[in-house]
Amino acid sequence: MNRILKKIRTGILAAGFISVSALAMAQNVLSVPGLGTIPLPHDMHLVDGKGSSVEKMFIENTQRPDFGESSQAAFMEIVAIPPGMDLFAEKGTHPFNRAHLYQLQMKKPQGQYTAGVFVVSGNGKELFPDSRVRAFWDKAFSEGSDRPTSLFGLPKIQLSEYQSIFDHFLASRKGNKMKIKVMSFAPWHAYKNADGTYRWQQEAKAVVTDYRGLSFPVWIYSAFFREGDQYFLIYLEGSHMAGAELDEPWLASLYQLKRGDGV
């Protein structure tokens, strides 16, 4: 933890010496319209995948009428999407159909590490059809004693219990089944940004086995923000090795969010 805080402090100090023109460079800052900008370390770069074949394939896949009932959707709901958020409704204008894809890259002597970055936004009624869930998230970003700080019993339940939740959730879905072996799981928790605002985040590492028996490691890092009546979900997906190299500098970047600069 001390090592992470040291990196955060160093990153904040360094940010003060970065010129405005440098921050405007697309490869070193994630700009989210309506939310703000997230400056990245000098050795971390962002590639805009808007309009790419990968983004198109992803959006078309989530638009399938049966996708919301699939085990793939269940996996995303567990590891990437805030509880109660509905991103798979059968609507052409639904927020997930407007997802913006980027790729995060970091080059080091031992190799290049990458992760996909998805940005999804929408208002409360779009993202949370259930009024009770919407009421929960309306309060979740404000300061006060009644604001929740964590979900899913953190830190009271064990990894084996999370595994049971994953197994039960996936078993209830239709179509081709996938299995998830949970390696680490830090469920949704509220964090205070450097500017005093709050975000929610969750991180997970798992080994996913598809219906053909093919296994692959997955690292998911989700960050959830609110600005006015709009919500913003930013989540990263990569390998375990990418997670080992990217998670700490990405966390330091999240703390440096500059509100209002992404419009």
Side-chain angles (χ1 to χ4, degrees), residues 51 55 122 174 222:
E55 182 188 69
K174 300 176 181 178
S222 296

Side-chain angles (χ1 to χ4, degrees), residues 2-220:
N2 289 336
R3 187 157 57 97
I4 295 175
L5 292 176
K6 183 178 180 181
K7 284 196 173 187
I8 292 170
R9 287 195 296 268
T10 302
I12 291 173
L13 289 172
F17 295 96
I18 298 176
S19 67
V20 174
S21 60
L23 281 177
M25 295 173 63
Q27 66 266 31
N28 283 104
V29 62
L30 174 57
S31 181
V32 182
L35 176 62
T37 56
I38 300 174
L40 303 173
H42 68 89
D43 56 350
M44 184 183 285
H45 301 286
L46 200 71
V47 177
D48 193 340
K50 187 65 176 176
S52 66
S53 58
V54 175
E55 182 188 69
K56 182 179 179 181
M57 179 177 63
F58 176 79
I59 293 175
E60 288 180 348
N61 190 40
T62 60
Q63 286 178 337
R64 294 195 334 255
D66 60 344
F67 184 79
E69 297 299 321
S70 67
S71 58
Q72 184 181 355
F75 171 69
M76 295 176 67
E77 288 171 9
I78 296 173
V79 300
I81 299 173
M85 181 182 286
D86 182 7
L87 293 182
F88 307 123
E90 298 172 24
K91 300 177 183 178
T93 58
H94 204 266
F96 223 140
N97 300 337
R98 303 193 302 263
H100 193 142
L101 171 65
Y102 300 88
Q103 186 183 62
L104 201 62
Q105 300 180 350
M106 177 179 279
K107 292 183 180 179
K108 291 196 170 186
Q110 61 267 39
Q112 178 168 308
Y113 303 93
T114 64
V117 181
F118 296 89
V119 180
V120 183
S121 63
N123 61 46
K125 289 187 177 180
E126 284 182 305
L127 298 175
F128 303 106
D130 189 317
S131 60
R132 294 169 298 178
V133 175
R134 190 161 63 246
F136 169 84
W137 286 111
D138 282 346
K139 296 179 180 179
F141 293 86
S142 61
E143 185 72 80
S145 59
D146 62 338
R147 182 183 62 82
T149 58
S150 63
L151 301 177
F152 305 126
L154 178 74
K156 299 178 181 178
I157 66 176
Q158 299 178 343
L159 193 62
S160 59
E161 293 176 283
Y162 287 124
Q163 181 68 62
S164 296
I165 294 173
F166 278 49
D167 293 342
H168 178 76
F169 200 58
L170 289 173
S172 66
R173 295 306 175 98
K174 300 176 181 178
N176 294 326
K177 301 295 184 181
M178 68 164 56
K179 296 179 181 179
I180 301 174
K181 175 64 176 178
V182 184
M183 310 304 294
S184 66
F185 189 53
W188 291 104
H189 195 90
Y191 291 86
K192 197 169 188 177
N193 300 312
D195 64 0
T197 60
Y198 284 88
R199 72 179 184 278
W200 284 76
Q201 69 183 47
Q202 174 172 273
E203 183 176 12
K205 287 183 180 178
V207 175
V208 177
T209 302
D210 68 12
Y211 69 97
R212 295 164 296 185
L214 299 175
S215 299
F216 50 94
V218 178
W219 166 67
I220 300 285

